[in-house]
Structures are given as structure tokens and as C-alpha cells.
């Protein structure tokens, strides 16, 4: 059983005296079901596990409304052996997207109070806003992702002390010992190729090689296309597939900007807003919006028509490339023209998995641009991802001129590269693999 960050969250949720029903959201195959079931077995005497994708007969349990006694009676009509004991029972509604009424029932379950309830699903093809309107104030949400690099390190046998020591070195600007740096960089290269899908990580850890992993990753890519076909409808289906299939193409370009006008003749941004939103809600992509001005606040200060799209899992991005690129990556760690895209993608992934929205910056004349923009308690922190040594003029300008009118909200920057820890008075330099610690570093 792989250690996941949701494990601690679920235990804390269970320990809350006045806990709300919980919805665990995220893309398919990221380990939602396995994590909830493992938690349930350790914390409840009775588990009512209903998978709406596999057990279609349970779709009628809400036909008589949302009274808890009626729902329980309808469930036991399908399976009389199930036991509902107050305060000792967890009801787990899995594959929520196949039965949105399950989410609507959460208000009734909370008011009733006898049973804990967790829902899980990818939310493909349904509008979460509608569910939220029906259960506002009576549910709690948890966004789950594929395994981040910290979870990958756990799977490789590294403990919290080891990771905390890395964070301490970042805070104290202490370069890592060469042996530790090389070791972590090798593991990070593995993570780039393997990605964070738990079944794939588990196989890699067990066999300690890449055999069979690409086939599993490519199957997941096909499954996502199948889900789009299944849950999207009409012209939306075509638009969503057009966007999804072209993400690697635009990431291979210098500016990496996703341009709707180039994916279909006559295509316009306003026609594809729903397609991008659909993929984002399903957890398949990370949307990185361009900030209008490099100033606070970040939210509400971006152009919704100017964005980049990254896969939610960088291992799947690499799996989407041609077979020759795959072999070159695994055999020679040769990223060629895709090197910048891959490192940007994994940093976007790390940022999103830490709970941040993802933004970049580019001025109107394209003379100043920055890969990502984060914030600490009182300032913007520009983040540059470098596939080669050195820093761009943009990072130097944004951190050097922070006393001028242009960049008053910027106090320092961060460069992520294949370089050890350092600070030059303007910006920190950190190795790529420390990206998962940015939130803890900025919150120090």
C-alpha cells in the first residue's frame, strides 16, 4: 500500500467531532478508491461501498427522495446483508459522476448525523457548481492528484526526516552534499518518466525497471479519450478532443501558449472555454493563465483567453510523445527540444498539487516573461524554470527593479534548474526536485 497525503487528511477528517460529508475529487486512476477503502477498513466496523459505475442497480436509491431512512431502505433492498450501525458505519459512494444525486443527498446525511459519508469521482461530464448549489454548507471537498514527488520519495523508502532536511537546507541556503544532490536528481529523472499514477509507480517500485510502464501509460491516455467520448456530448466532444490531443504540440513550441485558432479552422476562444474547463474539472489538465500585471492580487488579475495547458501528470505527457522519443528519454535521458516543456510541465504540476492556482506572466511587448508566478504572505514571487544554466533577463529585471514602480509587489525570485541551492541577493536557485517544497519554503 503506497503512502499518500490523503491518508493523513482522512484521519484528521475522521477526528473532527462535527465532520461534514466529504467529496474526494480528481482524475481517474489516481488512487481515490484505494485510499478511501484502506482508510475505511482501519476506522469503521461497517463499510457500505457502492460503485455507481459497476453497480447500476443502486442508481434508484434516491428515487423516493433524500430522506436517510428511505435511502438506507432502498440500499438494503438491493443487498439485505449490509449493516447500518449508527456512528460505526461509513457509506462510500464511488464514481459520483455516474449518479450526481448522491451528492445532493449529503445535506440529508449531515442533518441526520448517524452515518459518515464519502463520495468520490472524477466529475467528468457534470457541472460541479450544480452539485455545490444543492449541498452548500453540508459537505467538504478534497482535491486529490496523482502522486507528487514527495509521495514518490516515500515509495522509494525516504522518510520525513530526509525531506525536512532538504527544506531546512533551502531555508538556510545550504548547498546539498554532492552525493545527495546526484541521488535526488536521478530519482527525479525516474519520476519524470514514470509519473505519479499509483498503479504505474507501484509496478516500477516492485520491478525496479521501466518494463511495461509505457503500455500502462498509453492505456490511460486512451482511457481519457474514451471518457471524453462517453461523458461529453455533441460538438463539445469534438472540441474537447481537439484540445486534449494538441496539448503536446503546443508545449513543443517556444512560447508554449495554447492557441485555439490553430487547432481548427475558424475556431475561437469563446467557443472552446467549456472544453478547457471540462478538461480542468476532470483533473486531466492544469491551466496556466497569463497575468495582466505583475501585482497583487493574483486571482482576478489574469487574461482568461491567454493560457498554457499542461497534462496533470508529466509521466503521461512523456507517454504521449512518439515511440522514438520515448526510447531516447529512457535510454539516454535526452529531452531534445522537449526539455523545456517537460520541466515546465512538472513544475506546473508541483505548483498545482500544492494547492496553488497556476499563473505565468508576459508583457504586451514580450520583452519580459516569467514561467510561473506565486506569492508568499505579502509579495509576488516570480518562478523561472531553466533547462540550461543562467537566468533570463526577465528574472534579473523583475528582482533587480523591485524598488521601481513596475515591480513593487516583488521582493525576490526563484530559479529552478539543475543547480544546487544558492542565493545571489536577488533570487534563490533551487534544484528542480525541490519544487514540491515551494509552499513550505514560501510559508517559512
Amino acid at each position: 500500500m503506497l503512502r499518500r497525503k490523503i491518508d493523513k487528511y482522512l484521519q484528521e477528517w475522521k477526528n473532527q467531532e462535527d465532520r461534514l460529508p466529504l467529496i474526494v475529487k480528481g482524475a481517474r486512476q489516481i488512487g481515490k478508491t484505494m485510499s478511501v477503502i484502506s482508510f475505511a477498513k482501519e476506522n469503521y466496523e461497517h463499510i457500505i461501498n457502492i460503485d455507481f459505475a459497476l453497480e447500476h442497480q443502486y442508481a434508484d436509491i434516491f428515487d423516493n427522495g433524500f430522506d436517510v431512512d428511505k435511502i438506507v431502505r432502498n440500499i438494503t433492498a438491493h443487498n439485505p446483508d449490509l449493516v447500518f450501525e449508527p456512528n460505526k458505519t461509513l457509506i462510500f459512494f464511488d464514481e459520483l459522476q455516474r449518479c450526481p444525486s448522491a451528492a445532493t443527498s449529503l445535506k440529508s446525511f449531515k442533518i441526520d448525523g448517524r452515518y459518515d459519508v464519502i463520495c468520490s469521482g472524477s466529475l467528468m461530464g457534470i457541472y460541479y457548481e450544480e452539485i455545490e448549489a444543492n449541498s452548500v454548507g453540508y459537505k467538504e471537498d478534497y482535491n486529490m492528484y496523482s502522486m507528487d514527488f514527495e509521495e514518490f520519495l516515500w515509495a522509494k523508502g525516504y522518510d520525513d526526516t530526509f525531506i525536512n532536511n532538504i527544506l531546512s537546507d533551502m531555508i538556510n541556503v545550504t548547498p546539498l552534499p554532492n552525493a545527495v544532490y546526484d541521488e535526488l536528481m536521478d530519482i527525479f529523472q525516474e519520476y519524470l518518466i514514470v509519473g505519479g499514477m499509483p498503479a504505474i509507480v507501484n509496478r516500477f517500485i516492485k520491478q525496479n525497471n521501466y518494463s511495461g510502464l509505457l503500455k500502462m501509460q498509453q492505456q490511460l491516455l486512451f482511457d481519457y479519450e474514451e471518457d471524453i467520448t462517453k461523458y461529453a456530448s455533441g460538438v463539445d466532444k469534438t472540441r474537447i478532443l481537439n484540445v486534449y490531443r494538441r496539448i503536446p504540440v503546443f508545449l513543443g513550441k517556444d512560447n508554449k501558449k495554447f492557441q485555439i485558432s490553430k487547432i481548427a479552422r475558424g475556431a475561437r476562444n469563446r467557443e472552446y472555454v467549456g472544453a478547457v474547463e471540462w478538461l480542468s474539472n476532470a483533473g486531466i489538465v492544469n491551466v496556466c493563465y497569463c497575468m495582466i500585471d505583475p501585482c497583487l492580487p493574483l486571482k482576478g488579475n489574469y487574461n482568461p483567453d491567454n493560457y498554457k495547458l499542461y497534462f496533470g501528470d508529466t509521466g503521461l505527457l512523456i507517454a504521449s510523445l512518439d515511440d522514438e522519443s520515448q526510447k531516447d528519454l529512457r535510454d539516454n535521458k535526452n529531452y531534445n527540444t522537449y526539455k523545456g516543456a517537460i520541466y515546465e510541465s512538472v513544475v506546473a504540476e508541483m505548483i498545482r498539487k500544492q494547492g496553488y492556482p497556476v499563473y505565468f506572466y508576459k508583457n504586451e511587448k514580450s520583452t519580459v516573461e516569467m514561467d510561473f508566478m506565486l506569492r508568499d504572505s505579502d509579495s509576488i514571487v516570480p518562478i523561472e524554470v531553466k533547462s540550461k544554466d543562467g537566468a533570463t533577463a526577465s528574472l534579473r529585471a523583475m528582482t533587480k527593479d523591485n524598488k521601481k514602480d513596475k515591480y513593487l509587489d516583488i521582493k525576490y525570485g526563484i530559479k529552478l534548474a539543475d543547480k544546487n541551492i544558492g542565493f545571489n541577493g536577488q533570487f534563490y536557485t533551487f534544484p528542480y526536485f525541490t519544487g514540491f517544497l515551494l509552499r513550505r519554503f514560501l510559508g517559512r
Side-chain angles (χ1 to χ4, degrees):
M1 183 69 186
L2 296 168
R3 178 185 174 189
R4 303 299 305 276
K5 291 185 174 178
I6 193 176
D7 300 340
K8 179 181 178 182
Y9 179 90
L10 289 172
Q11 198 59 60
E12 291 174 347
W13 172 80
K14 176 71 166 64
N15 293 337
Q16 296 175 29
E17 185 174 343
D18 193 31
R19 56 188 168 275
L20 297 169
L22 178 65
I23 297 180
V24 179
K25 302 181 290 181
R28 67 178 297 164
Q29 301 299 317
I30 59 170
K32 301 185 296 295
T33 299
M34 183 177 295
S35 294
V36 173
I37 292 297
S38 176
F39 157 77
K41 288 179 178 178
E42 294 180 1
N43 289 274
Y44 294 89
E45 292 186 21
H46 310 288
I47 306 169
I48 313 300
N49 181 14
I50 297 175
D51 185 327
F52 290 112
L54 300 178
E55 300 170 295
H56 304 289
Q57 67 272 22
Y58 285 97
D60 67 358
I61 61 176
F62 307 106
D63 285 354
N64 303 119
F66 298 102
D67 177 78
V68 170
D69 286 327
K70 290 180 180 178
I71 295 171
V72 170
R73 184 167 63 248
N74 289 340
I75 292 174
T76 54
H78 291 293
N79 186 351
D81 294 329
L82 295 176
V83 177
F84 287 81
E85 186 175 356
N87 303 315
K88 296 182 179 180
T89 302
L90 176 72
I91 301 173
F92 179 34
F93 293 134
D94 203 3
E95 299 296 345
L96 174 65
Q97 72 277 6
R98 302 297 290 267
C99 186
S101 292
T104 307
S105 72
L106 298 183
K107 179 177 181 179
S108 297
F109 277 107
K110 171 56 185 171
I111 294 172
D112 181 90
R114 286 176 289 169
Y115 312 111
D116 288 347
V117 182
I118 297 179
C119 297
S120 174
S122 66
L123 303 187
M124 286 181 168
I126 62 175
Y127 290 97
Y128 187 68
E129 289 78 7
E130 294 179 8
I131 292 177
E132 188 166 349
N134 290 334
S135 52
V136 62
Y138 295 94
K139 63 164 182 59
E140 182 174 335
D141 298 316
Y142 181 85
N143 290 311
M144 189 174 177
Y145 306 94
S146 63
M147 296 173 67
D148 68 9
F149 186 57
E150 184 169 21
E151 291 171 314
F152 192 78
L153 286 173
W154 291 341
K156 296 279 289 186
Y158 294 88
D159 61 14
D160 292 335
T161 300
F162 179 84
I163 293 167
N164 288 334
N165 286 339
I166 300 172
L167 177 61
S168 178
D169 288 338
M170 293 170 66
I171 293 172
N172 296 315
V173 197
T174 304
L176 297 166
N178 289 337
V180 174
Y181 183 96
D182 292 342
E183 178 183 4
L184 285 168
M185 197 62 194
D186 285 343
I187 297 172
F188 188 65
Q189 296 288 346
E190 292 176 351
Y191 178 70
L192 288 179
I193 296 171
V194 175
M197 294 299 186
I200 297 170
V201 172
N202 194 47
R203 177 165 179 165
F204 175 73
I205 296 298
K206 285 183 176 179
Q207 65 188 26
N208 198 29
N209 60 58
Y210 298 106
S211 175
L213 302 190
L214 176 58
K215 185 177 181 180
M216 294 175 69
Q217 290 170 320
Q218 290 176 334
Q219 183 59 53
L220 272 173
L221 291 170
F222 291 138
D223 289 344
Y224 284 153
E225 289 210 14
E226 187 177 286
D227 285 340
I228 292 170
T229 302
K230 182 188 301 181
Y231 293 114
S233 60
V235 68
D236 288 339
K237 182 186 307 182
T238 302
R239 288 172 180 161
I240 294 168
L241 285 171
N242 279 343
V243 172
Y244 173 71
R245 289 169 177 168
R246 285 166 175 78
I247 293 173
V249 176
F250 286 100
L251 287 180
K253 299 183 182 300
D254 286 341
N255 65 8
K256 301 175 183 62
K257 177 183 175 181
F258 198 92
Q259 295 173 282
I260 293 297
S261 61
K262 294 186 178 180
I263 69 173
R265 179 173 295 184
R268 299 178 181 179
N269 260 309
R270 65 173 179 270
E271 298 170 343
Y272 278 79
V273 170
V276 173
E277 186 180 62
W278 195 98
L279 290 167
S280 177
N281 288 342
I284 296 174
V285 303
N286 293 320
V287 187
C288 181
Y289 290 104
C290 183
M291 292 184 61
I292 298 171
D293 294 304
C295 59
L296 295 172
L298 296 181
K299 290 185 177 180
N301 180 24
Y302 65 89
N303 181 354
D305 294 329
N306 188 353
Y307 53 86
K308 303 176 186 178
L309 293 182
Y310 300 98
F311 274 113
D313 185 89
T314 303
L316 295 184
L317 167 63
I318 294 178
S320 72
L321 305 179
D322 57 73
D323 292 343
E324 291 74 19
S325 296
Q326 288 285 340
K327 188 175 188 329
D328 205 12
L329 284 166
R330 286 171 168 77
D331 293 349
N332 307 312
K333 295 185 173 65
N334 181 13
Y335 296 92
N336 292 320
T337 58
Y338 245 86
K339 186 173 184 179
I342 289 170
Y343 283 117
E344 269 193 44
S345 182
V346 76
V347 172
E349 180 186 339
M350 288 173 157
I351 289 171
R352 191 70 192 96
K353 288 177 176 178
Q354 291 172 79
Y356 287 113
V358 192
Y359 301 109
F360 73 101
Y361 175 69
K362 188 173 187 178
N363 67 2
E364 291 182 1
K365 296 181 180 179
S366 299
T367 55
V368 176
E369 53 185 298
M370 190 53 50
D371 297 320
F372 302 104
M373 303 289 274
L374 298 182
R375 66 163 301 169
D376 59 17
S377 60
D378 60 359
S379 67
I380 289 178
V381 183
I383 308 289
E384 182 174 64
V385 183
K386 290 295 292 181
S387 57
K388 298 178 182 178
D389 197 8
T392 65
S394 294
L395 182 60
R396 294 185 182 280
M398 296 182 91
T399 53
K400 182 179 180 181
D401 297 337
N402 56 10
K403 298 290 190 295
K404 300 180 180 179
D405 291 343
K406 272 189 177 179
Y407 308 121
L408 287 176
D409 287 333
I410 295 174
K411 296 181 180 178
Y412 61 92
I414 293 174
K415 180 182 75 173
L416 296 175
D418 186 4
K419 299 287 289 183
N420 215 324
I421 296 170
F423 182 62
N424 65 1
Q426 292 179 234
F427 56 85
Y428 293 89
T429 297
F430 293 136
Y432 299 122
F433 54 75
T434 62
F436 74 95
L437 291 167
L438 286 176
R439 190 172 199 111
R440 276 170 267 185
F441 174 80
L442 296 177
R444 66 196 189 283

